[in-house]
């Protein structure tokens, strides 16, 4: 109507004169005005869309496309993505995150299952060819008694089986212990006090606790009643006590003959410092002063001895009660002295019992000593390592680090947060400057321990590594993996190229993962596990130690150490497990990875 009415000016005049026409013209003007206003208001809406990451092009054409302006008058308003409330947004983000998590959770669940399968494979070799012996010789398919003949693999493996829910193993190991162990304890010959305490006594006590002994239940529903483990532990501990009571000082003798419970010093008359100070978690758990007093006298005596910035020589005489020599190291014969200073304090519900603060102070002082006197960086790539002082503080520094030292990152991290996550400890303002330093050192050393694996052709660490520093280097002694960034930093001597399937690195990866929650520690652990699978698995059952980790195929040694089941596979399983399994603020692991509960506040 309007367009036709506009055709001639006569018509235009007539239209304006008549009232219907006036109404129509007003309607037309109003309509045009509405359309123009509406179009203007759309512009910011489109910009919103752009800001929200939707339609940039559309926004530009609306703002800058002058030729299309009229066309735009008739086009639909752009459709913006639905606006979400903050709550809806959070739900969406979480659901996306959860889908990611499901994959991650499944991945680690599967890997954990692989470790359990490895454990069952190790056990089946032992059961088929060596049941009742201390260790399996997987290649010659027989057993050997390297630890006095108490079936050490059985007791060392039992709590790992309980934690993994490997019911058949629990049943077989438990039944053997019930039927044979007490009898063996009363008949066998000489055993080492330390090895028997950490593996057999520690294994029995942990099995007792984990299977519900304290609640007078049998949580595993397999094997004997848990009290059998405790009774057997007491029979053993009663005999081992003679190592303390026969000594003229509070430093125990190193060996005990089980059949008559007589105690003897080592042939050279000396005990290892780590051995005499790594008995207390186990004897304390028996919660009878006749055991704990003897064990704790050692620590009280060690407190009084002179030290080098908290560091101690690796030998001590039970005859004089004094340290012997000046050799200071955190590897063999020194290692778990430092570990138990912290863990015995933690076991006693550290915060509540002021009587044991001296242990924590000794630990803190020693860690400062480690930082001042033993920590260096390799060249060219700056790996942080812990060396040795074979002739004390006035002698030369040796850039030698045993694989055994790789327990230290875990202990340092545990000491810093007392088993809490780093996040929680920081949130609650619990970390001192020393704690932060120790945590940093823990992370640096864990990396070095991992690189001791990845620098070799097999991906497995040697027993001992040397580090290239300014005044020490040797050519032609690398680990064989030329693509490793650290092939020139780490020196592996021919005599040190064996692997005993030791646990210390995976132990530290487990503790560091729990504390820092950094997934790289799990990935490193998985790489190490895969290398064990590839190079040490024996088809007929069991895993074997290697003679040389730097060549492929590696030369083998015919032995499966008890700690491969007691520690290495347990720590790998826990590394891939949920954090609530054996929480670090409720348990301390003895040095053979047997979890012992921390005393609760009364
Ligand atoms: C274990 O028997 C214990 O961890 C001990 O403290 C050191 N050595 C072995 C494992 O390497």
């Amino acid at each position: 109507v309007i367009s036709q009415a506009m055709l001639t000016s006569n018509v235009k005049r007539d239209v304006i004169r008549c009232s219907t026409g006036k109404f129509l013209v007003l309607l037309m003007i109003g309509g045009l005005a509405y359309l123009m206003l509406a179009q203007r208001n759309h512009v910011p809406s489109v910009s919103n869309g752009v800001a929200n990451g939707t339609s940039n092009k559309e926004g530009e054409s609306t703002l800058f496309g002058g030729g299309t302006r009229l066309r735009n008058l008739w086009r639909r308003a752009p459709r913006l993505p639905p606006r979400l409330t903050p709550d809806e947004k959070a739900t969406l983000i979480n659901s996306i995150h959860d889908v990611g998590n499901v994959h991650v959770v499944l991945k680690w669940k599967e890997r954990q299952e692989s470790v359990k399968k490895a454990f069952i494979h190790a056990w089946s070799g032992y059961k088929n060819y060596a049941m009742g012996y201390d260790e399996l010789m997987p290649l010659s398919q027989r057993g050997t008694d390297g630890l006095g003949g108490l079936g050490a693999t059985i007791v060392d493996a039992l709590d790992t089986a309980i934690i993994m829910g490997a019911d058949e193993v629990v049943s077989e190991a438990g039944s053997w212990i019930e039927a044979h162990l007490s009898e063996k304890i009363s008949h066998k010959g000489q055993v080492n006090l330390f090895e028997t305490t950490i593996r057999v006594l520690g294994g029995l006590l942990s099995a007792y606790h984990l299977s519900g002994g304290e609640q007078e239940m049998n949580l595993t529903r397999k094997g004997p009643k848990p009290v059998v483990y405790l009774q057997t532990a007491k029979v053993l501990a009663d005999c081992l006590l003679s190592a303390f009571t026969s000594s003229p000082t509070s430093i125990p003798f190193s060996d005990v003959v089980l059949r008559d419970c007589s105690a003897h010093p080592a042939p050279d008359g000396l005990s290892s410092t780590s051995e005499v100070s790594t008995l207390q978690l186990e004897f304390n758990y028996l919660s009878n002063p006749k055991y704990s007093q003897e064990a704790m006298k050692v620590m009280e005596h060690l407190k009084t001895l002179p030290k080098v910035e908290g560091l101690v020589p690796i030998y001590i005489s039970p005859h004089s009660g004094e340290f012997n020599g000046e050799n200071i190291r955190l590897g063999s014969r020194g290692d778990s002295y430092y570990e138990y200073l912290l863990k015995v304090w933690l076991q006693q519900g550290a915060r509540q019992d002021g009587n044991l603060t001296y242990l924590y102070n000794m630990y803190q002082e020693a860690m400062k000593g480690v930082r001042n006197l033993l920590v260096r960086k390799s060249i060219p790539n700056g790996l942080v390592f812990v060396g040795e002082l074979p002739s004390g503080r006035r002698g030369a520094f040796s850039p030698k680090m045993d694989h055994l030292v790789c327990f230290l990152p875990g202990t340092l991290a545990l000491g810093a947060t007392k088993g809490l996550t780093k996040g929680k400890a920081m949130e609650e303002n619990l970390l001192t400057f020393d704690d932060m330093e120790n945590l940093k050192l823990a992370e640096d050393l864990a990396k070095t321990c991992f690189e001791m694996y990845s620098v070799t052709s097999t991906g497995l660490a040697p027993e001992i590594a040397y580090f290239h520093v300014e005044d020490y280097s040797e050519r032609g002694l690398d680990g064989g993996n030329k693509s490793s960034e650290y092939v020139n930093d780490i020196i592996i001597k021919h005599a040190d190229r064996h692997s005993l399937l030791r646990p210390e690195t995976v132990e530290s990866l487990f503790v560091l993962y729990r504390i820092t929650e950094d997934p790289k520690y799990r990935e490193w652990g998985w790489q190490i596990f895969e290398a064990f699978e590839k190079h040490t698995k024996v088809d007929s059952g069991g895993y074997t130690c290697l003679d040389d980790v730097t060549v492929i195929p590696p030369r083998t040694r015919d032995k499966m150490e008890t700690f491969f089941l007691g520690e290495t596979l347990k720590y790998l399983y826990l590394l891939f497990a949920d954090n609530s399994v054996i929480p670090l603020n409720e348990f301390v692991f003895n040095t053979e990875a047997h979890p012992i509960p921390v005393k609760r506040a009364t």
Side-chain angles (χ1 to χ4, degrees):
V1 172
I2 292 168
S3 50
Q4 277 189 357
M6 294 293 183
L7 287 178
T8 66
S9 51
N10 281 350
V11 175
K12 203 194 301 178
R13 214 178 306 121
D14 290 343
V15 165
I16 289 170
R17 244 186 244 138
C18 96
S19 56
T20 311
K22 278 182 192 158
F23 170 70
L24 284 173
V25 169
L26 280 174
L27 191 66
M28 186 184 75
I29 292 166
L32 280 172
Y34 167 76
L35 285 173
M36 293 189 74
L37 276 175
Q39 174 61 19
R40 258 194 202 164
N41 287 341
H42 288 155
V43 173
S45 301
V46 174
S47 306
N48 266 347
V50 173
N52 286 329
T54 51
S55 172
N56 193 27
K57 277 205 173 116
E58 204 167 13
E60 273 169 15
S61 69
T62 310
L63 285 172
F64 306 114
T68 56
R69 188 162 202 146
L70 204 61
R71 192 166 12 104
N72 286 342
L73 290 181
W74 305 106
R75 94 184 153 69
R76 282 217 207 123
R79 286 197 60 198
L80 300 176
R83 296 273 179 107
L84 298 177
T85 65
D87 279 355
E88 286 168 330
K89 260 188 205 158
T91 315
L92 184 71
I93 289 166
N94 283 343
S95 70
I96 292 166
H97 194 70
D98 282 347
V99 173
N101 267 349
V102 169
H103 289 302
V104 172
V105 169
L106 286 179
K107 175 172 109 178
W108 293 111
K109 194 92 216 108
E110 268 171 30
R111 291 180 172 189
Q112 201 190 18
E113 275 306 302
S114 307
V115 178
K116 183 174 170 182
K117 273 193 199 139
F119 174 78
I120 289 171
H121 181 79
W123 174 260
S124 74
Y126 172 78
K127 186 183 79 171
N128 291 339
Y129 305 117
M131 192 72 184
Y133 285 92
D134 283 331
E135 296 127 333
L136 167 70
M137 297 171 73
L139 301 178
S140 46
Q141 301 182 342
R142 59 198 170 94
T144 176
D145 276 339
L147 293 157
L150 298 181
T153 291
I154 300 174
V155 196
D156 229 1
L158 175 58
D159 64 355
T160 307
I162 295 174
I163 291 169
M164 291 180 173
D167 288 350
E168 232 173 278
V169 181
V170 175
S171 167
E172 289 158 356
S175 308
W176 185 91
I177 288 170
E178 182 172 34
H180 303 291
L181 190 51
S182 290
E183 193 259 340
K184 286 204 181 255
I185 292 169
S186 59
H187 285 95
K188 285 289 177 182
Q190 186 161 314
V191 294
N192 175 275
L193 168 68
F194 160 78
E195 297 291 0
T196 312
T197 299
I198 64 168
R199 301 187 202 215
V200 184
L201 188 59
L204 288 169
L205 296 176
S206 180
Y208 168 71
H209 178 80
L210 294 178
S211 56
E214 282 162 34
Q215 299 87 27
E216 296 181 5
M217 293 156 73
N218 186 355
L219 299 175
T220 60
R221 296 188 306 279
K222 300 283 170 186
K225 284 191 194 143
V227 73
V228 169
Y229 302 136
L230 183 64
Q231 282 159 353
T232 316
K234 284 182 176 165
V235 171
L236 180 59
D238 282 336
C239 199
L240 296 179
L241 263 186
S242 73
F244 299 88
T245 52
S246 312
S247 166
T249 66
S250 36
I251 300 304
F253 289 144
S254 66
D255 300 302
V256 172
V257 173
L258 291 174
R259 63 178 156 265
D260 59 9
C261 297
S262 60
H264 306 272
D268 61 2
L270 299 173
S271 298
S272 300
T273 304
S274 66
E275 293 194 358
V276 302
S277 57
T278 308
L279 310 160
Q280 291 68 20
L281 288 178
E282 298 80 356
F283 279 81
N284 285 345
Y285 181 74
L286 285 166
S287 62
N288 176 331
K290 81 170 169 178
Y291 304 112
S292 54
Q293 275 171 8
E294 289 299 334
M296 290 307 290
K297 268 193 222 161
V298 181
M299 299 311 232
E300 285 148 23
H301 177 75
L302 290 171
K303 178 179 67 172
T304 65
L305 298 181
K307 306 179 182 66
V308 178
E309 298 198 21
L311 305 176
V312 293
I314 58 172
Y315 289 107
I316 190 162
S317 163
H319 301 288
S320 66
E322 302 294 328
F323 287 125
N324 189 283
E326 293 191 81
N327 194 342
I328 288 173
R329 65 177 180 227
L330 272 83
S332 62
R333 303 182 189 277
D335 48 6
S336 47
Y337 162 78
Y338 304 95
E339 182 186 353
Y340 269 38
L341 289 179
L342 175 72
K343 288 184 173 177
V344 175
W345 176 72
L346 287 173
Q347 177 195 28
Q348 299 300 316
R351 279 166 209 288
Q352 297 100 39
D353 189 347
N355 296 336
L356 295 187
T357 309
Y358 77 92
L359 290 174
Y360 184 65
N361 294 340
M362 285 163 78
Y363 166 77
Q364 287 286 43
E365 193 195 349
M367 292 307 107
K368 266 191 206 154
V370 168
R371 297 201 307 260
N372 286 344
L373 301 175
L374 301 182
V375 171
R376 298 275 171 93
K377 275 188 184 176
S378 68
I379 48 178
N381 291 308
L383 281 177
V384 174
F385 69 95
V386 173
E388 302 182 358
L389 293 172
S391 309
R393 84 179 309 165
R394 285 178 301 273
F397 173 84
S398 165
K400 164 179 177 269
M401 181 164 142
D402 293 351
H403 183 276
L404 288 168
V405 180
C406 290
F407 82 94
L408 188 61
T411 297
L412 281 165
L414 182 69
T417 71
K418 326 297 182 274
L420 300 177
T421 62
K422 180 180 174 184
K424 178 117 180 111
M426 289 183 78
E427 202 180 292
E428 296 189 4
N429 255 329
L430 297 175
L431 299 184
T432 62
F433 180 74
D434 274 333
D435 293 333
M436 294 297 286
E437 292 263 293
N438 287 344
L439 201 48
K440 170 81 178 78
L441 179 59
E443 296 216 46
D444 290 344
L445 288 175
K447 177 171 169 56
T448 302
C449 289
F450 171 67
E451 297 302 343
M452 281 165 64
Y453 284 71
S454 52
V455 81
T456 70
S457 317
T458 55
L460 291 169
E463 179 70 358
I464 298 170
Y466 284 76
F467 289 81
H468 182 186
V469 286
E470 248 155 48
D471 42 9
Y472 181 83
S473 71
E474 281 198 59
R475 291 196 173 275
L477 294 177
D478 61 58
N481 176 10
K482 304 286 182 200
S483 61
S484 160
E485 194 187 335
Y486 299 101
V487 70
N488 295 320
D489 293 63
I490 298 179
I491 297 159
I492 308 175
K493 298 192 181 187
H494 287 286
D496 307 331
R497 297 187 163 192
H498 50 292
S499 161
L500 304 187
L501 321 180
R502 286 198 188 273
E504 291 76 17
T505 296
V506 294
E507 166 186 351
S508 284
L509 297 182
F510 155 66
V511 177
L512 272 162
Y513 174 69
R514 286 277 176 102
I515 284 175
T516 65
E517 300 177 298
D518 185 336
K520 80 177 175 212
Y521 296 116
R522 275 183 155 181
E523 295 293 350
W524 292 354
W526 178 248
Q527 273 188 49
I528 292 172
F529 175 72
E530 283 192 306
F532 281 131
E533 284 291 286
K534 191 163 173 195
H535 298 294
T536 71
K537 191 170 189 169
V538 177
D539 287 343
S540 54
Y543 290 75
T544 188
C545 300
L546 301 179
D547 204 41
D548 187 345
V549 293
T550 67
V551 290
I552 287 191
R555 281 195 307 276
T556 48
R557 281 187 181 184
D558 189 10
K559 177 98 163 277
M560 181 173 75
E561 296 282 346
T562 78
F563 48 69
F564 185 63
L565 289 87
E567 298 194 67
T568 311
L569 292 176
K570 183 188 287 149
Y571 282 129
L572 281 165
Y573 183 86
L574 290 173
L575 172 62
F576 305 150
D578 189 88
N579 289 0
S580 59
V581 185
I582 318 280
L584 287 181
N585 55 349
E586 289 177 29
F587 288 88
V588 279
F589 288 84
N590 88 338
T591 196
E592 190 75 6
H594 298 303
I596 292 183
V598 166
K599 275 192 190 157
R600 285 166 197 272
T602 43

